[in-house]
PDB file of all heavy atoms in Angstrom:
ATOM      1  N   ALA Y  52       4.705  -1.174  30.110  1.00  0.00           N
ATOM      2  CA  ALA Y  52       5.368  -0.544  31.261  1.00  0.00           C
ATOM      3  C   ALA Y  52       6.180  -1.562  31.998  1.00  0.00           C
ATOM      4  O   ALA Y  52       7.239  -1.289  32.693  1.00  0.00           O
ATOM      5  CB  ALA Y  52       4.429   0.102  32.099  1.00  0.00           C
ATOM      6  N   LYS Y  53       5.711  -2.837  32.047  1.00  0.00           N
ATOM      7  CA  LYS Y  53       6.375  -3.884  32.852  1.00  0.00           C
ATOM      8  C   LYS Y  53       7.569  -4.497  32.091  1.00  0.00           C
ATOM      9  O   LYS Y  53       8.383  -5.206  32.646  1.00  0.00           O
ATOM     10  CB  LYS Y  53       5.368  -4.971  33.166  1.00  0.00           C
ATOM     11  CG  LYS Y  53       4.344  -4.538  34.272  1.00  0.00           C
ATOM     12  CD  LYS Y  53       3.441  -5.699  34.564  1.00  0.00           C
ATOM     13  CE  LYS Y  53       2.339  -5.191  35.483  1.00  0.00           C
ATOM     14  NZ  LYS Y  53       1.289  -6.288  35.747  1.00  0.00           N
ATOM     15  N   LEU Y  54       7.635  -4.223  30.813  1.00  0.00           N
ATOM     16  CA  LEU Y  54       8.765  -4.812  30.028  1.00  0.00           C
ATOM     17  C   LEU Y  54      10.080  -4.048  30.498  1.00  0.00           C
ATOM     18  O   LEU Y  54      10.156  -2.927  30.765  1.00  0.00           O
ATOM     19  CB  LEU Y  54       8.580  -4.588  28.534  1.00  0.00           C
ATOM     20  CG  LEU Y  54       7.512  -5.385  27.863  1.00  0.00           C
ATOM     21  CD1 LEU Y  54       7.335  -4.908  26.403  1.00  0.00           C
ATOM     22  CD2 LEU Y  54       7.804  -6.836  27.986  1.00  0.00           C
ATOM     23  N   PRO Y  55      11.130  -4.924  30.533  1.00  0.00           N
ATOM     24  CA  PRO Y  55      12.477  -4.347  30.900  1.00  0.00           C
ATOM     25  C   PRO Y  55      12.894  -3.331  29.927  1.00  0.00           C
ATOM     26  O   PRO Y  55      12.773  -3.459  28.689  1.00  0.00           O
ATOM     27  CB  PRO Y  55      13.407  -5.480  31.066  1.00  0.00           C
ATOM     28  CG  PRO Y  55      12.773  -6.568  30.255  1.00  0.00           C
ATOM     29  CD  PRO Y  55      11.272  -6.351  30.174  1.00  0.00           C
ATOM     30  N   ALA Y  56      13.608  -2.296  30.413  1.00  0.00           N
ATOM     31  CA  ALA Y  56      14.286  -1.309  29.477  1.00  0.00           C
ATOM     32  C   ALA Y  56      15.424  -1.978  28.795  1.00  0.00           C
ATOM     33  O   ALA Y  56      16.105  -2.759  29.356  1.00  0.00           O
ATOM     34  CB  ALA Y  56      14.658  -0.053  30.329  1.00  0.00           C
ATOM     35  N   PRO Y  57      15.701  -1.529  27.528  1.00  0.00           N
ATOM     36  CA  PRO Y  57      16.847  -2.099  26.873  1.00  0.00           C
ATOM     37  C   PRO Y  57      18.121  -1.644  27.644  1.00  0.00           C
ATOM     38  O   PRO Y  57      18.315  -0.550  28.019  1.00  0.00           O
ATOM     39  CB  PRO Y  57      16.810  -1.500  25.508  1.00  0.00           C
ATOM     40  CG  PRO Y  57      15.835  -0.286  25.581  1.00  0.00           C
ATOM     41  CD  PRO Y  57      15.017  -0.539  26.749  1.00  0.00           C
ATOM     42  N   SER Y  58      19.041  -2.692  27.678  1.00  0.00           N
ATOM     43  CA  SER Y  58      20.299  -2.396  28.385  1.00  0.00           C
ATOM     44  C   SER Y  58      21.305  -1.769  27.501  1.00  0.00           C
ATOM     45  O   SER Y  58      21.111  -1.675  26.307  1.00  0.00           O
ATOM     46  CB  SER Y  58      20.891  -3.780  28.937  1.00  0.00           C
ATOM     47  OG  SER Y  58      21.310  -4.588  27.824  1.00  0.00           O
ATOM     48  N   LYS Y  59      22.287  -1.121  28.098  1.00  0.00           N
ATOM     49  CA  LYS Y  59      23.390  -0.474  27.307  1.00  0.00           C
ATOM     50  C   LYS Y  59      24.036  -1.530  26.496  1.00  0.00           C
ATOM     51  O   LYS Y  59      24.507  -1.204  25.352  1.00  0.00           O
ATOM     52  CB  LYS Y  59      24.356   0.213  28.223  1.00  0.00           C
ATOM     53  CG  LYS Y  59      23.765   1.473  28.960  1.00  0.00           C
ATOM     54  CD  LYS Y  59      23.485   2.526  28.024  1.00  0.00           C
ATOM     55  CE  LYS Y  59      23.028   3.721  28.755  1.00  0.00           C
ATOM     56  NZ  LYS Y  59      22.506   4.788  27.854  1.00  0.00           N
ATOM     57  N   ARG Y  60      24.218  -2.705  27.051  1.00  0.00           N
ATOM     58  CA  ARG Y  60      24.872  -3.792  26.261  1.00  0.00           C
ATOM     59  C   ARG Y  60      24.206  -4.158  24.981  1.00  0.00           C
ATOM     60  O   ARG Y  60      24.803  -4.231  23.929  1.00  0.00           O
ATOM     61  CB  ARG Y  60      25.015  -5.013  27.160  1.00  0.00           C
ATOM     62  CG  ARG Y  60      25.853  -6.066  26.586  1.00  0.00           C
ATOM     63  CD  ARG Y  60      25.991  -7.227  27.493  1.00  0.00           C
ATOM     64  NE  ARG Y  60      26.807  -8.295  26.915  1.00  0.00           N
ATOM     65  CZ  ARG Y  60      26.974  -9.431  27.463  1.00  0.00           C
ATOM     66  NH1 ARG Y  60      26.457  -9.702  28.615  1.00  0.00           N
ATOM     67  NH2 ARG Y  60      27.758 -10.364  26.807  1.00  0.00           N
ATOM     68  N   SER Y  61      22.812  -4.237  25.106  1.00  0.00           N
ATOM     69  CA  SER Y  61      22.078  -4.591  23.875  1.00  0.00           C
ATOM     70  C   SER Y  61      22.084  -3.382  22.873  1.00  0.00           C
ATOM     71  O   SER Y  61      22.107  -3.674  21.659  1.00  0.00           O
ATOM     72  CB  SER Y  61      20.691  -4.906  24.185  1.00  0.00           C
ATOM     73  OG  SER Y  61      19.921  -3.790  24.757  1.00  0.00           O
ATOM     74  N   GLU Y  62      22.172  -2.162  23.292  1.00  0.00           N
ATOM     75  CA  GLU Y  62      22.268  -1.028  22.427  1.00  0.00           C
ATOM     76  C   GLU Y  62      23.664  -1.005  21.721  1.00  0.00           C
ATOM     77  O   GLU Y  62      23.685  -0.758  20.497  1.00  0.00           O
ATOM     78  CB  GLU Y  62      22.064   0.286  23.210  1.00  0.00           C
ATOM     79  CG  GLU Y  62      20.598   0.502  23.595  1.00  0.00           C
ATOM     80  CD  GLU Y  62      20.435   1.807  24.433  1.00  0.00           C
ATOM     81  OE1 GLU Y  62      21.384   2.585  24.497  1.00  0.00           O
ATOM     82  OE2 GLU Y  62      19.362   1.994  24.982  1.00  0.00           O
ATOM     83  N   LYS Y  63      24.669  -1.324  22.476  1.00  0.00           N
ATOM     84  CA  LYS Y  63      26.009  -1.406  21.836  1.00  0.00           C
ATOM     85  C   LYS Y  63      26.087  -2.535  20.806  1.00  0.00           C
ATOM     86  O   LYS Y  63      26.656  -2.420  19.765  1.00  0.00           O
ATOM     87  CB  LYS Y  63      27.076  -1.584  22.980  1.00  0.00           C
ATOM     88  CG  LYS Y  63      27.420  -0.363  23.800  1.00  0.00           C
ATOM     89  CD  LYS Y  63      28.462  -0.647  24.801  1.00  0.00           C
ATOM     90  CE  LYS Y  63      28.655   0.577  25.667  1.00  0.00           C
ATOM     91  NZ  LYS Y  63      29.693   0.347  26.707  1.00  0.00           N
ATOM     92  N   ARG Y  64      25.468  -3.644  21.181  1.00  0.00           N
ATOM     93  CA  ARG Y  64      25.436  -4.791  20.302  1.00  0.00           C
ATOM     94  C   ARG Y  64      24.702  -4.396  18.989  1.00  0.00           C
ATOM     95  O   ARG Y  64      25.092  -4.776  17.853  1.00  0.00           O
ATOM     96  CB  ARG Y  64      24.798  -6.057  20.940  1.00  0.00           C
ATOM     97  CG  ARG Y  64      24.846  -7.217  20.044  1.00  0.00           C
ATOM     98  CD  ARG Y  64      24.203  -8.476  20.701  1.00  0.00           C
ATOM     99  NE  ARG Y  64      24.334  -8.474  22.183  1.00  0.00           N
ATOM    100  CZ  ARG Y  64      23.374  -8.753  23.001  1.00  0.00           C
ATOM    101  NH1 ARG Y  64      22.187  -9.146  22.512  1.00  0.00           N
ATOM    102  NH2 ARG Y  64      23.513  -8.791  24.308  1.00  0.00           N
ATOM    103  N   ALA Y  65      23.534  -3.650  19.152  1.00  0.00           N
ATOM    104  CA  ALA Y  65      22.800  -3.253  17.933  1.00  0.00           C
ATOM    105  C   ALA Y  65      23.631  -2.359  17.056  1.00  0.00           C
ATOM    106  O   ALA Y  65      23.655  -2.371  15.869  1.00  0.00           O
ATOM    107  CB  ALA Y  65      21.492  -2.618  18.305  1.00  0.00           C
ATOM    108  N   THR Y  66      24.398  -1.424  17.757  1.00  0.00           N
ATOM    109  CA  THR Y  66      25.233  -0.514  17.014  1.00  0.00           C
ATOM    110  C   THR Y  66      26.346  -1.317  16.301  1.00  0.00           C
ATOM    111  O   THR Y  66      26.642  -0.974  15.088  1.00  0.00           O
ATOM    112  CB  THR Y  66      25.910   0.610  17.949  1.00  0.00           C
ATOM    113  OG1 THR Y  66      24.837   1.244  18.604  1.00  0.00           O
ATOM    114  CG2 THR Y  66      26.782   1.583  17.281  1.00  0.00           C
ATOM    115  N   ARG Y  67      26.986  -2.224  16.955  1.00  0.00           N
ATOM    116  CA  ARG Y  67      27.982  -2.992  16.209  1.00  0.00           C
ATOM    117  C   ARG Y  67      27.402  -3.814  15.077  1.00  0.00           C
ATOM    118  O   ARG Y  67      28.055  -3.926  14.081  1.00  0.00           O
ATOM    119  CB  ARG Y  67      28.635  -3.977  17.290  1.00  0.00           C
ATOM    120  CG  ARG Y  67      29.742  -3.319  18.035  1.00  0.00           C
ATOM    121  CD  ARG Y  67      30.477  -4.337  18.954  1.00  0.00           C
ATOM    122  NE  ARG Y  67      29.938  -4.203  20.309  1.00  0.00           N
ATOM    123  CZ  ARG Y  67      29.570  -5.155  21.090  1.00  0.00           C
ATOM    124  NH1 ARG Y  67      29.630  -6.372  20.736  1.00  0.00           N
ATOM    125  NH2 ARG Y  67      29.054  -4.866  22.320  1.00  0.00           N
ATOM    126  N   MET Y  68      26.202  -4.308  15.312  1.00  0.00           N
ATOM    127  CA  MET Y  68      25.653  -5.006  14.169  1.00  0.00           C
ATOM    128  C   MET Y  68      25.306  -4.080  12.958  1.00  0.00           C
ATOM    129  O   MET Y  68      25.481  -4.493  11.805  1.00  0.00           O
ATOM    130  CB  MET Y  68      24.278  -5.643  14.648  1.00  0.00           C
ATOM    131  CG  MET Y  68      24.458  -6.765  15.652  1.00  0.00           C
ATOM    132  SD  MET Y  68      25.555  -8.100  15.004  1.00  0.00           S
ATOM    133  CE  MET Y  68      24.379  -8.987  14.113  1.00  0.00           C
TER     134      MET Y  68
END
Side-chain angles (χ1 to χ4, degrees):
K53 290 179 184 177
L54 291 175
S58 66
K59 293 289 183 189
R60 185 176 181 188
S61 66
E62 289 178 9
K63 287 181 182 178
R64 186 178 328 137
T66 302
R67 278 188 256 134
M68 294 301 279

